[in-house]
Structures are given as C-alpha cells and as structure tokens.
C-alpha cells in the first residue's frame, strides 16, 4: 500500500492545474509541464489541493499512485521554484565552459568534448570547475547531469573526473612498491 500516494498535494498561488482525462498540465511562473498519467490512477483537483486515487484495488495501481503523486508534485515544484544540480570537475587542467546551449568539457581527452544541452536545461559555469544545471523538469535535469558525468566518471585513485557536488568518492590505496 502506497503511503506517499495518500498524501494530498497542495498547489501554491500562481500555479495553474489543468486535468483533461489522463493528461495533467501544470503552468507557473517558470514555464509549463505536461504529463500523461497511468490509466489505473485518477487525479482530482479541488480547493487548491490535488488528490490521487486508485481506479482499482490492484497492487500495481497502488505503486502507480505513489509514482503519479510524486511526479505531479515535482511538476508543481518545478514550475514554481525550479530545480538545480551542481557538478564538480576535479583534475589538473580539467575545465568547462558554456557557449549558447553547448557545454564544452576539457577533461583529459585529446580534444574537448561538446555536450549539446536540451532546450529545457540551462547551464552556468563558475570558476571553470563548477557546473550549475537548472531546469523546471526534474527528470530531464537528472538525466542531463548523469550524461555529463558519464563523459569522465571519477576514478577511485585520485578522484579525477566529473562528480556531483555532494557525492563522496571512495578512494583506493595505490600500489605499494616491493621492499
């Protein structure tokens, strides 16, 4: 039984909700998001509160209820406040720059790696080694940050590479010379 799905979703002022069958549209100050929800889940909006309920008593319906509630809540928070992720670059000579919608990474390869950013994601680089990604779509933001991290994952000996800001890299001890 989903405990998260039972919770009501409060809608802040300035956010407009439109429910048309299984399509939910959320509009706010930062933009608009749209998502089709699962057929086993029903969404009701009244008095600035959204309630998510099951259409049948199936185990999968309960799981989709919790998922749908979280997705709708993320849409509301996204259009009202937005989301951000911070990536850190570590390594001698490693740096990043942004020009337009292209993120250019110099991370130890023979040539710079260009990563085209999706339209809904913006990036800023602070001090050549701190990348701040911002978007109203939490799912797209996480996917973009993950793909950027995959360009040069942190290695376990010196920690060189691209990592999330709060990520802890477990370091390995290097080889010890024979005595």
């Amino acid at each position: 039984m989903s405990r998260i799905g039972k919770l009501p979703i409060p809608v802040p002022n300035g956010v407009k909700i439109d429910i048309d069958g299984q399509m939910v549209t959320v509009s706010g100050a930062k933009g608009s998001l749209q998502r089709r929800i699962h057929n086993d889940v029903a969404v009701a909006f009244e008095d600035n509160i959204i309630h998510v309920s099951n259409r049948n008593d199936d185990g999968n319906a309960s799981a989709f209820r919790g998922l749908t509630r979280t997705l709708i809540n993320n849409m509301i928070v996204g259009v009202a406040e937005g989301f951000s992720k911070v990536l850190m670059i570590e390594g001698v000579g490693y740096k990043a720059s942004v020009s337009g919608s292209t993120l250019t990474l110099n991370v130890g390869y023979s040539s710079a790696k260009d990563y085209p950013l999706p339209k809904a994601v913006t990036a800023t680089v602070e001090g050549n080694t701190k990348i701040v990604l911002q978007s109203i779509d939490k799912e797209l933001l996480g996917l973009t940050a993950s793909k950027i991290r995959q360009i040069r994952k942190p290695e376990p000996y010196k920690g060189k590479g691209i990592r999330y800001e709060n990520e802890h890299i477990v370091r390995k001890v290097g080889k010890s010379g024979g005595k």
Side-chain angles (χ1 to χ4, degrees), residues 44-57:
F45 176 59
E46 55 190 37
D47 300 330
N48 282 343
I49 293 178
I50 297 176
H51 294 281
V52 180
S53 60
N54 294 350
R55 290 186 191 259
N56 55 26
D57 292 331

Side-chain angles (χ1 to χ4, degrees), residues 2-136:
S2 175
R3 296 184 188 122
I4 292 175
K6 292 179 183 178
L7 300 175
I9 306 169
V11 179
N13 293 334
V15 176
K16 183 177 176 278
I17 307 292
D18 183 32
I19 301 171
D20 183 27
Q22 295 302 104
M23 190 65 77
V24 176
T25 305
V26 180
S27 302
K30 295 201 176 256
S32 179
L33 293 173
Q34 191 173 20
R35 179 175 293 275
R36 180 167 176 70
I37 61 173
H38 198 270
N39 292 331
D40 291 343
V41 178
V43 177
F45 176 59
E46 55 190 37
D47 300 330
N48 282 343
I49 293 178
I50 297 176
H51 294 281
V52 180
S53 60
N54 294 350
R55 290 186 191 259
N56 55 26
D57 292 331
D58 186 6
N60 285 338
S62 180
F64 283 120
R65 176 183 180 185
L67 173 69
T68 302
R69 190 247 179 236
T70 301
L71 291 173
I72 293 173
N73 188 49
N74 286 343
M75 290 168 65
I76 291 171
V77 171
V79 298
E81 302 166 16
F83 294 103
S84 67
K85 277 202 180 282
V86 179
L87 296 168
M88 304 297 291
I89 301 174
E90 290 186 19
V92 176
Y94 287 14
K95 62 183 179 177
S97 63
V98 176
S99 61
S101 64
T102 302
L103 179 67
T104 303
L105 299 165
N106 293 318
V107 287
Y109 295 112
S110 61
S111 61
K113 299 290 180 181
D114 290 334
Y115 182 81
L117 294 169
K119 290 183 181 180
V121 178
T122 60
T124 57
V125 177
E126 299 172 5
N128 288 338
T129 60
K130 184 177 182 181
I131 304 168
V132 180
L133 301 172
Q134 295 178 333
S135 179
I136 62 172

